[in-house]
Amino acid sequence: MHNKLVKFVQDIYQTKEFIPLHSPSFRGNEKKYVNSTLDSTFVSSVGKYVDKFEQQIEDFTGSAKAIATVNGTAALHTALYMAGVKSGDLVITQALTFVATCNALYHMGAEPVFVDVSKISLGLCPQALDLYLEENARLNVDGLCEDINTGKVYRAVVPMHTFGHPVELDELIQVCAKWNITLVEDAAESLGSFYKKQHTGTFGDFSAISFNGNKVITTGGGGMVLCKNAEMGMRTKHITTTAKVPHPYEFYHDEAGFNYRLPNLNAALGCAQMEVLPKFLQQKRDLALRYMDFFKNTDFSYFKEPDYATSNYWLNAIICPNSEVRETFIKETNAQGVMTRPIWQLMHRLPMFQHAKHGALPISEWLESCLVNIPSSPLSLRA
Ligand SMILES: *Cc1c(COP(=O)(O)O)cnc(C)c1O
């Protein structure tokens, strides 16, 4: 199978050279906009592109307020901060995620708690979440969800839309409401992904998108916080820009803020990338369909978007029949210049999270041992 796939991917991208998992493409107005920031000298914290980029994201996602940040991890940090996460709190997320989801809350002094993912979405499983809480939590006299052993508060639930596939949001929202826990979406990978026609990242009180170099669109480094209402959006903007009270020359800051604002230079790149996002999404969907067809009637199962969703198909994923087959597949494809890689190691295996509480993780463990990501760049990269 690995030899067949190598040939198939080389045909698709029409090259025998190294094919990465995901690379950016700059064939629109990227150079023009970036150069205009250089010409104007407004490369840093002042300039028109930041506002424009935020507006483009608001228009595209339907979010009430979008705030650009220096990267996706900073966006997550801000989202969790705005959701009221404090030192000593518990934050529930999936064991199967990229480490940034956990780093953000860890550095706030909160503790991650890991729950299994769903076979349908590869993201946080609503049933596993409810079961974990039934066994480990109760609502206290103040109506807060606390751990039955430690009394610590479960402050937020952070599902992650794995590879762009939306999680089961209706069900997760119900479980969060039942236990009075705030929903914060890690939508880092899911720009262009919709749950029942509504854009991911607009369901939680706050959510985070990433524009890292390997994401659907990139600003070099960058991120965005999506806020459920405009008032919280104003507060979020304030806190990410040193909490400076606007004044022509006085420096007065009314709380300890962050310096997380995205530079105008990067936002210029983002504005140009937003113009081509619909084209990228179409090309990624075409590629997904071709992979689906390729893996039909094989021992490998291609992971399709859930029925309720339109996914951006950020990274294509296949599930190998077993872990031995997977090891061979990864080794052989990489040796032939077609990049493939295993899904992330589960978070509770990493040294800094090894003592974290977690529920049973059968689906996460199965995916950890059998899933492979295969090349997913938009086809416009063809020579
Ligand atoms: C990319 C990513 C992030 C963070 O993004 P950066 O912009 O690299 O900081 C967070 N969570 C997930 C799941 C990601 O894939």
Side-chain angles (χ1 to χ4, degrees), residues 134-181:
E134 284 289 352
E135 288 174 352
N136 293 280
R138 64 170 164 241
L139 290 173
N140 68 17
V141 286
D142 300 321
L144 295 173
C145 182
E146 66 174 26
D147 188 86
I148 50 174
N149 294 313
T150 63
K152 289 184 175 181
V153 174
Y154 290 94
R155 195 74 65 179
V157 166
V158 186
M160 195 277 279
H161 306 290
T162 308
F163 308 140
H165 301 302
V167 295
E168 294 145 88
L169 278 158
D170 284 346
E171 292 80 3
L172 281 173
I173 287 166
Q174 259 178 27
V175 178
C176 287
K178 172 179 164 188
W179 292 97
N180 192 25
I181 312 181

Tab-separated table of all heavy atoms in Angstrom, residues 134-181:
chain	number	residue	atom	x	y	z
A	134	GLU	N	-19.906	12.430	36.043
A	134	GLU	CA	-20.785	11.663	36.933
A	134	GLU	C	-19.967	10.952	38.008
A	134	GLU	O	-20.388	10.843	39.159
A	134	GLU	CB	-21.591	10.615	36.134
A	134	GLU	CG	-22.755	11.183	35.327
A	134	GLU	CD	-23.930	11.650	36.186
A	134	GLU	OE1	-23.921	11.404	37.407
A	134	GLU	OE2	-24.836	12.300	35.629
A	135	GLU	N	-18.803	10.484	37.616
A	135	GLU	CA	-17.981	9.705	38.553
A	135	GLU	C	-17.069	10.559	39.429
A	135	GLU	O	-16.623	10.105	40.471
A	135	GLU	CB	-17.121	8.697	37.771
A	135	GLU	CG	-17.954	7.556	37.195
A	135	GLU	CD	-17.152	6.616	36.289
A	135	GLU	OE1	-15.980	6.920	35.971
A	135	GLU	OE2	-17.742	5.587	35.887
A	136	ASN	N	-16.791	11.791	38.974
A	136	ASN	CA	-15.768	12.575	39.669
A	136	ASN	C	-16.194	13.953	40.161
A	136	ASN	O	-15.398	14.637	40.803
A	136	ASN	CB	-14.563	12.770	38.744
A	136	ASN	CG	-13.848	11.479	38.452
A	136	ASN	OD1	-13.052	11.008	39.270
A	136	ASN	ND2	-14.157	10.876	37.317
A	137	ALA	N	-17.403	14.378	39.824
A	137	ALA	CA	-17.752	15.769	40.133
A	137	ALA	C	-19.129	15.891	40.767
A	137	ALA	O	-19.931	14.956	40.712
A	137	ALA	CB	-17.696	16.590	38.844
A	138	ARG	N	-19.377	17.034	41.385
A	138	ARG	CA	-20.733	17.367	41.866
A	138	ARG	C	-20.883	18.880	41.767
A	138	ARG	O	-19.897	19.621	41.722
A	138	ARG	CB	-20.924	16.894	43.304
A	138	ARG	CG	-20.008	17.614	44.263
A	138	ARG	CD	-20.316	17.358	45.716
A	138	ARG	NE	-19.164	17.790	46.502
A	138	ARG	CZ	-18.443	16.994	47.289
A	138	ARG	NH1	-18.781	15.733	47.458
A	138	ARG	NH2	-17.398	17.476	47.934
A	139	LEU	N	-22.149	19.315	41.749
A	139	LEU	CA	-22.396	20.756	41.772
A	139	LEU	C	-22.421	21.186	43.239
A	139	LEU	O	-23.128	20.598	44.051
A	139	LEU	CB	-23.731	21.070	41.084
A	139	LEU	CG	-23.746	20.858	39.560
A	139	LEU	CD1	-25.142	21.024	38.992
A	139	LEU	CD2	-22.774	21.819	38.863
A	140	ASN	N	-21.610	22.199	43.603
A	140	ASN	CA	-21.560	22.627	45.004
A	140	ASN	C	-22.653	23.654	45.295
A	140	ASN	O	-23.475	23.972	44.430
A	140	ASN	CB	-20.154	23.125	45.370
A	140	ASN	CG	-19.785	24.430	44.669
A	140	ASN	OD1	-20.652	25.143	44.148
A	140	ASN	ND2	-18.504	24.741	44.666
A	141	VAL	N	-22.676	24.187	46.523
A	141	VAL	CA	-23.752	25.109	46.923
A	141	VAL	C	-23.812	26.369	46.070
A	141	VAL	O	-24.867	26.978	45.916
A	141	VAL	CB	-23.647	25.518	48.421
A	141	VAL	CG1	-24.066	24.362	49.306
A	141	VAL	CG2	-22.238	25.997	48.760
A	142	ASP	N	-22.668	26.740	45.505
A	142	ASP	CA	-22.648	27.927	44.629
A	142	ASP	C	-23.002	27.574	43.187
A	142	ASP	O	-22.927	28.428	42.302
A	142	ASP	CB	-21.254	28.561	44.639
A	142	ASP	CG	-20.847	29.009	46.027
A	142	ASP	OD1	-21.737	29.518	46.751
A	142	ASP	OD2	-19.675	28.841	46.396
A	143	GLY	N	-23.324	26.312	42.952
A	143	GLY	CA	-23.680	25.900	41.592
A	143	GLY	C	-22.473	25.612	40.727
A	143	GLY	O	-22.603	25.397	39.518
A	144	LEU	N	-21.266	25.635	41.339
A	144	LEU	CA	-20.053	25.345	40.554
A	144	LEU	C	-19.782	23.850	40.549
A	144	LEU	O	-20.119	23.145	41.508
A	144	LEU	CB	-18.847	26.081	41.166
A	144	LEU	CG	-18.904	27.604	41.110
A	144	LEU	CD1	-17.741	28.210	41.885
A	144	LEU	CD2	-18.895	28.094	39.664
A	145	CYS	N	-19.178	23.410	39.490
A	145	CYS	CA	-18.854	21.994	39.348
A	145	CYS	C	-17.523	21.735	40.036
A	145	CYS	O	-16.499	22.265	39.620
A	145	CYS	CB	-18.758	21.652	37.863
A	145	CYS	SG	-18.410	19.931	37.547
A	146	GLU	N	-17.548	20.938	41.120
A	146	GLU	CA	-16.281	20.698	41.818
A	146	GLU	C	-15.946	19.221	41.871
A	146	GLU	O	-16.812	18.357	41.786
A	146	GLU	CB	-16.310	21.297	43.237
A	146	GLU	CG	-17.294	20.627	44.143
A	146	GLU	CD	-17.230	21.119	45.591
A	146	GLU	OE1	-16.806	22.266	45.828
A	146	GLU	OE2	-17.616	20.334	46.473
A	147	ASP	N	-14.652	18.956	42.038
A	147	ASP	CA	-14.185	17.572	42.114
A	147	ASP	C	-14.593	16.996	43.475
A	147	ASP	O	-14.443	17.655	44.507
A	147	ASP	CB	-12.660	17.545	41.952
A	147	ASP	CG	-12.142	16.138	41.822
A	147	ASP	OD1	-12.130	15.618	40.693
A	147	ASP	OD2	-11.785	15.539	42.861
A	148	ILE	N	-15.112	15.762	43.479
A	148	ILE	CA	-15.615	15.207	44.748
A	148	ILE	C	-14.489	14.911	45.732
A	148	ILE	O	-14.719	14.882	46.927
A	148	ILE	CB	-16.468	13.920	44.552
A	148	ILE	CG1	-15.734	12.910	43.670
A	148	ILE	CG2	-17.836	14.234	43.995
A	148	ILE	CD1	-16.453	11.573	43.567
A	149	ASN	N	-13.279	14.737	45.242
A	149	ASN	CA	-12.167	14.448	46.159
A	149	ASN	C	-11.416	15.686	46.609
A	149	ASN	O	-11.085	15.825	47.781
A	149	ASN	CB	-11.179	13.472	45.508
A	149	ASN	CG	-11.807	12.109	45.299
A	149	ASN	OD1	-12.440	11.555	46.217
A	149	ASN	ND2	-11.687	11.575	44.112
A	150	THR	N	-11.113	16.570	45.659
A	150	THR	CA	-10.245	17.708	45.996
A	150	THR	C	-11.010	19.009	46.199
A	150	THR	O	-10.457	19.970	46.739
A	150	THR	CB	-9.221	17.949	44.865
A	150	THR	OG1	-9.950	18.294	43.670
A	150	THR	CG2	-8.370	16.717	44.603
A	151	GLY	N	-12.254	19.085	45.746
A	151	GLY	CA	-13.015	20.330	45.849
A	151	GLY	C	-12.596	21.375	44.825
A	151	GLY	O	-13.129	22.485	44.796
A	152	LYS	N	-11.616	21.033	43.976
A	152	LYS	CA	-11.201	21.985	42.929
A	152	LYS	C	-12.331	22.148	41.907
A	152	LYS	O	-13.101	21.216	41.673
A	152	LYS	CB	-9.939	21.477	42.223
A	152	LYS	CG	-8.708	21.560	43.117
A	152	LYS	CD	-7.449	21.159	42.378
A	152	LYS	CE	-6.247	21.400	43.306
A	152	LYS	NZ	-4.984	21.063	42.655
A	153	VAL	N	-12.360	23.326	41.292
A	153	VAL	CA	-13.467	23.626	40.373
A	153	VAL	C	-13.112	23.270	38.925
A	153	VAL	O	-12.031	23.630	38.438
A	153	VAL	CB	-13.842	25.128	40.473
A	153	VAL	CG1	-14.891	25.500	39.427
A	153	VAL	CG2	-14.348	25.446	41.880
A	154	TYR	N	-14.022	22.568	38.269
A	154	TYR	CA	-13.900	22.322	36.833
A	154	TYR	C	-14.404	23.581	36.135
A	154	TYR	O	-15.603	23.827	36.071
A	154	TYR	CB	-14.743	21.111	36.404
A	154	TYR	CG	-14.183	19.795	36.912
A	154	TYR	CD1	-14.643	19.230	38.104
A	154	TYR	CD2	-13.197	19.130	36.196
A	154	TYR	CE1	-14.122	18.023	38.569
A	154	TYR	CE2	-12.668	17.929	36.651
A	154	TYR	CZ	-13.130	17.372	37.839
A	154	TYR	OH	-12.617	16.185	38.296
A	155	ARG	N	-13.462	24.409	35.637
A	155	ARG	CA	-13.829	25.756	35.170
A	155	ARG	C	-14.172	25.804	33.686
A	155	ARG	O	-14.988	26.609	33.272
A	155	ARG	CB	-12.660	26.711	35.457
A	155	ARG	CG	-13.013	28.171	35.354
A	155	ARG	CD	-13.841	28.684	36.514
A	155	ARG	NE	-13.104	28.631	37.768
A	155	ARG	CZ	-13.591	29.030	38.937
A	155	ARG	NH1	-14.822	29.529	39.011
A	155	ARG	NH2	-12.877	28.925	40.028
A	156	ALA	N	-13.516	24.987	32.911
A	156	ALA	CA	-13.770	25.044	31.459
A	156	ALA	C	-13.616	23.666	30.831
A	156	ALA	O	-12.889	22.819	31.348
A	156	ALA	CB	-12.792	26.019	30.788
A	157	VAL	N	-14.331	23.485	29.738
A	157	VAL	CA	-14.178	22.295	28.896
A	157	VAL	C	-13.642	22.791	27.559
A	157	VAL	O	-14.201	23.722	26.968
A	157	VAL	CB	-15.535	21.571	28.705
A	157	VAL	CG1	-15.442	20.554	27.572
A	157	VAL	CG2	-15.961	20.888	29.995
A	158	VAL	N	-12.542	22.192	27.107
A	158	VAL	CA	-11.897	22.646	25.866
A	158	VAL	C	-11.824	21.511	24.833
A	158	VAL	O	-10.851	20.769	24.773
A	158	VAL	CB	-10.469	23.179	26.135
A	158	VAL	CG1	-9.879	23.791	24.863
A	158	VAL	CG2	-10.474	24.202	27.258
A	159	PRO	N	-12.872	21.372	24.014
A	159	PRO	CA	-12.786	20.405	22.924
A	159	PRO	C	-11.908	20.967	21.810
A	159	PRO	O	-11.796	22.184	21.665
A	159	PRO	CB	-14.237	20.272	22.449
A	159	PRO	CG	-14.877	21.559	22.824
A	159	PRO	CD	-14.153	22.094	24.037
A	160	MET	N	-11.284	20.071	21.060
A	160	MET	CA	-10.434	20.505	19.945
A	160	MET	C	-10.967	19.829	18.677
A	160	MET	O	-11.213	18.622	18.675
A	160	MET	CB	-8.987	20.097	20.234
A	160	MET	CG	-7.957	20.778	19.350
A	160	MET	SD	-7.747	19.987	17.756
A	160	MET	CE	-6.666	18.631	18.182
A	161	HIS	N	-11.134	20.612	17.627
A	161	HIS	CA	-11.667	20.087	16.363
A	161	HIS	C	-10.525	19.457	15.575
A	161	HIS	O	-9.908	20.117	14.724
A	161	HIS	CB	-12.356	21.206	15.572
A	161	HIS	CG	-13.417	21.922	16.356
A	161	HIS	ND1	-14.613	21.328	16.693
A	161	HIS	CD2	-13.452	23.168	16.896
A	161	HIS	CE1	-15.354	22.180	17.386
A	161	HIS	NE2	-14.666	23.304	17.529
A	162	THR	N	-10.254	18.212	15.874
A	162	THR	CA	-9.075	17.516	15.366
A	162	THR	C	-9.012	17.465	13.838
A	162	THR	O	-9.951	16.984	13.191
A	162	THR	CB	-9.044	16.088	15.943
A	162	THR	OG1	-9.164	16.180	17.357
A	162	THR	CG2	-7.751	15.360	15.582
A	163	PHE	N	-7.913	17.933	13.298
A	163	PHE	CA	-7.653	17.983	11.844
A	163	PHE	C	-8.745	18.742	11.100
A	163	PHE	O	-8.919	18.567	9.885
A	163	PHE	CB	-7.520	16.573	11.254
A	163	PHE	CG	-6.535	15.703	11.979
A	163	PHE	CD1	-6.799	14.355	12.207
A	163	PHE	CD2	-5.333	16.235	12.433
A	163	PHE	CE1	-5.874	13.567	12.886
A	163	PHE	CE2	-4.420	15.440	13.115
A	163	PHE	CZ	-4.702	14.098	13.330
A	164	GLY	N	-9.508	19.566	11.832
A	164	GLY	CA	-10.566	20.362	11.212
A	164	GLY	C	-11.943	19.731	11.302
A	164	GLY	O	-12.920	20.355	10.887
A	165	HIS	N	-12.047	18.524	11.847
A	165	HIS	CA	-13.356	17.872	11.935
A	165	HIS	C	-14.112	18.348	13.185
A	165	HIS	O	-13.645	18.120	14.302
A	165	HIS	CB	-13.197	16.352	11.977
A	165	HIS	CG	-12.501	15.791	10.775
A	165	HIS	ND1	-12.976	15.983	9.492
A	165	HIS	CD2	-11.355	15.073	10.646
A	165	HIS	CE1	-12.163	15.389	8.628
A	165	HIS	NE2	-11.166	14.844	9.300
A	166	PRO	N	-15.271	18.972	12.990
A	166	PRO	CA	-15.991	19.524	14.139
A	166	PRO	C	-16.442	18.449	15.145
A	166	PRO	O	-16.901	17.378	14.750
A	166	PRO	CB	-17.204	20.197	13.499
A	166	PRO	CG	-16.765	20.519	12.107
A	166	PRO	CD	-15.889	19.367	11.714
A	167	VAL	N	-16.294	18.761	16.429
A	167	VAL	CA	-16.767	17.859	17.491
A	167	VAL	C	-18.298	17.885	17.550
A	167	VAL	O	-18.941	18.734	16.918
A	167	VAL	CB	-16.199	18.257	18.873
A	167	VAL	CG1	-14.690	18.094	18.906
A	167	VAL	CG2	-16.604	19.679	19.256
A	168	GLU	N	-18.877	16.972	18.337
A	168	GLU	CA	-20.337	16.891	18.484
A	168	GLU	C	-20.811	18.016	19.416
A	168	GLU	O	-20.988	17.816	20.609
A	168	GLU	CB	-20.705	15.513	19.026
A	168	GLU	CG	-20.396	14.395	18.054
A	168	GLU	CD	-19.940	13.120	18.743
A	168	GLU	OE1	-20.800	12.303	19.097
A	168	GLU	OE2	-18.722	12.960	18.937
A	169	LEU	N	-21.010	19.180	18.846
A	169	LEU	CA	-21.215	20.379	19.661
A	169	LEU	C	-22.540	20.402	20.413
A	169	LEU	O	-22.561	20.761	21.594
A	169	LEU	CB	-21.040	21.632	18.795
A	169	LEU	CG	-19.565	22.012	18.611
A	169	LEU	CD1	-19.360	22.866	17.380
A	169	LEU	CD2	-19.033	22.731	19.847
A	170	ASP	N	-23.650	20.022	19.773
A	170	ASP	CA	-24.934	20.070	20.486
A	170	ASP	C	-24.857	19.264	21.780
A	170	ASP	O	-25.282	19.738	22.845
A	170	ASP	CB	-26.065	19.483	19.614
A	170	ASP	CG	-26.512	20.450	18.518
A	170	ASP	OD1	-26.150	21.640	18.601
A	170	ASP	OD2	-27.213	20.003	17.589
A	171	GLU	N	-24.308	18.071	21.680
A	171	GLU	CA	-24.234	17.190	22.839
A	171	GLU	C	-23.257	17.743	23.886
A	171	GLU	O	-23.541	17.703	25.091
A	171	GLU	CB	-23.796	15.785	22.412
A	171	GLU	CG	-24.818	15.026	21.563
A	171	GLU	CD	-24.825	15.431	20.078
A	171	GLU	OE1	-23.997	16.278	19.674
A	171	GLU	OE2	-25.667	14.899	19.326
A	172	LEU	N	-22.125	18.274	23.429
A	172	LEU	CA	-21.149	18.843	24.375
A	172	LEU	C	-21.732	20.054	25.099
A	172	LEU	O	-21.522	20.240	26.296
A	172	LEU	CB	-19.864	19.235	23.647
A	172	LEU	CG	-18.896	18.094	23.332
A	172	LEU	CD1	-17.749	18.589	22.467
A	172	LEU	CD2	-18.352	17.463	24.618
A	173	ILE	N	-22.475	20.871	24.352
A	173	ILE	CA	-23.083	22.060	24.954
A	173	ILE	C	-24.068	21.636	26.051
A	173	ILE	O	-24.120	22.244	27.129
A	173	ILE	CB	-23.769	22.927	23.868
A	173	ILE	CG1	-22.691	23.625	23.028
A	173	ILE	CG2	-24.732	23.945	24.482
A	173	ILE	CD1	-23.190	24.234	21.731
A	174	GLN	N	-24.810	20.556	25.783
A	174	GLN	CA	-25.755	20.041	26.789
A	174	GLN	C	-25.046	19.576	28.055
A	174	GLN	O	-25.483	19.884	29.159
A	174	GLN	CB	-26.516	18.846	26.212
A	174	GLN	CG	-27.907	19.204	25.752
A	174	GLN	CD	-28.610	17.987	25.138
A	174	GLN	OE1	-28.307	16.847	25.470
A	174	GLN	NE2	-29.533	18.263	24.251
A	175	VAL	N	-23.943	18.843	27.882
A	175	VAL	CA	-23.207	18.344	29.049
A	175	VAL	C	-22.611	19.531	29.825
A	175	VAL	O	-22.669	19.566	31.058
A	175	VAL	CB	-22.102	17.338	28.629
A	175	VAL	CG1	-21.309	16.868	29.844
A	175	VAL	CG2	-22.715	16.149	27.893
A	176	CYS	N	-22.079	20.513	29.104
A	176	CYS	CA	-21.513	21.698	29.770
A	176	CYS	C	-22.591	22.444	30.556
A	176	CYS	O	-22.349	22.913	31.675
A	176	CYS	CB	-20.866	22.638	28.757
A	176	CYS	SG	-19.307	22.010	28.122
A	177	ALA	N	-23.801	22.535	29.985
A	177	ALA	CA	-24.898	23.231	30.675
A	177	ALA	C	-25.309	22.452	31.924
A	177	ALA	O	-25.507	23.032	32.995
A	177	ALA	CB	-26.086	23.390	29.724
A	178	LYS	N	-25.399	21.134	31.798
A	178	LYS	CA	-25.780	20.281	32.932
A	178	LYS	C	-24.825	20.473	34.113
A	178	LYS	O	-25.237	20.511	35.260
A	178	LYS	CB	-25.779	18.808	32.480
A	178	LYS	CG	-25.960	17.785	33.583
A	178	LYS	CD	-25.964	16.355	33.022
A	178	LYS	CE	-25.745	15.338	34.137
A	178	LYS	NZ	-25.564	13.976	33.605
A	179	TRP	N	-23.538	20.608	33.821
A	179	TRP	CA	-22.520	20.703	34.877
A	179	TRP	C	-22.043	22.135	35.127
A	179	TRP	O	-21.118	22.363	35.906
A	179	TRP	CB	-21.329	19.803	34.514
A	179	TRP	CG	-21.691	18.348	34.556
A	179	TRP	CD1	-22.061	17.559	33.505
A	179	TRP	CD2	-21.770	17.519	35.715
A	179	TRP	NE1	-22.336	16.290	33.938
A	179	TRP	CE2	-22.165	16.231	35.295
A	179	TRP	CE3	-21.519	17.734	37.095
A	179	TRP	CZ2	-22.335	15.170	36.186
A	179	TRP	CZ3	-21.677	16.679	37.965
A	179	TRP	CH2	-22.087	15.410	37.518
A	180	ASN	N	-22.655	23.084	34.457
A	180	ASN	CA	-22.301	24.498	34.631
A	180	ASN	C	-20.813	24.769	34.414
A	180	ASN	O	-20.142	25.364	35.259
A	180	ASN	CB	-22.741	24.993	36.020
A	180	ASN	CG	-22.661	26.511	36.129
A	180	ASN	OD1	-22.736	27.217	35.116
A	180	ASN	ND2	-22.480	27.010	37.344
A	181	ILE	N	-20.310	24.304	33.291
A	181	ILE	CA	-18.900	24.536	32.942
A	181	ILE	C	-18.855	25.313	31.625
A	181	ILE	O	-19.635	25.047	30.712
A	181	ILE	CB	-18.109	23.217	32.771
A	181	ILE	CG1	-18.380	22.270	33.946
A	181	ILE	CG2	-16.619	23.498	32.645
A	181	ILE	CD1	-17.617	20.949	33.857
